[in-house]
Amino acid sequence: MGLGFGSGGLIGAVVGFAVKKVASVLAIVLGVQLAALKFLETRGILHVDREALSAQLAAIGANAGEAPSWLLTALSTLSLGTGFVAGFLLGFRRG
C-alpha cells in the first residue's frame, strides 16, 4: 500500500510538472497566434466569420464539463490513483 502510494505520488508529481510546463508553452504559442491573426484581420488580409466561430465555441463549451470516457476508465482502474492525484497536484503547483 505504501509503495503504491509513494510511486503513484512520484509519477503524479512528474506528470503534473510536465503538464504545467507544456500548458505554459501552449499559452504562449496561442497568444502569439491570436495576436498575429488579429493583426492580419486589422490589415484586411484575413476575414473572421464571427457567427461560425461563436457557434463552434458554444458547441465546444457544451462538452467542456464532461470527462472523456477513456480518462474515467483509466482513473478507475489505476491502483495508484490516490498517490498519483496528490503527486500531480503537488507537481503542478511546484512547476
Side-chain angles (χ1 to χ4, degrees), residues 2 6 13 20-21 25 28 30 33 37-38 41 43-44 46 54 57 60 62 64 66-67 74 76 86 88:
K20 187 164 187 181
K21 294 300 178 186
V25 169
I28 291 169
L30 183 64
Q33 183 180 11
L37 289 175
K38 185 62 178 170
E41 184 184 16
R43 297 289 181 192
L46 183 68
S54 296
L57 289 176
I60 291 171
E66 301 173 11
S76 67
F88 180 84

Side-chain angles (χ1 to χ4, degrees), residues 2 5-6 8 19 31-33 36-37 42 44 52 55 59 61-62 69 79 81-83 85-86 94:
F5 185 79
V19 165
V32 169
Q33 183 180 11
L37 289 175
T42 58
S69 62
S79 63
T82 305
V85 170
R94 300 246 178 206

Side-chain angles (χ1 to χ4, degrees), residues 33-55:
Q33 183 180 11
L34 289 174
L37 289 175
K38 185 62 178 170
F39 174 76
L40 292 173
E41 184 184 16
T42 58
R43 297 289 181 192
I45 298 170
L46 183 68
H47 173 71
V48 177
D49 186 1
R50 301 211 184 267
E51 291 176 10
L53 182 61
S54 296

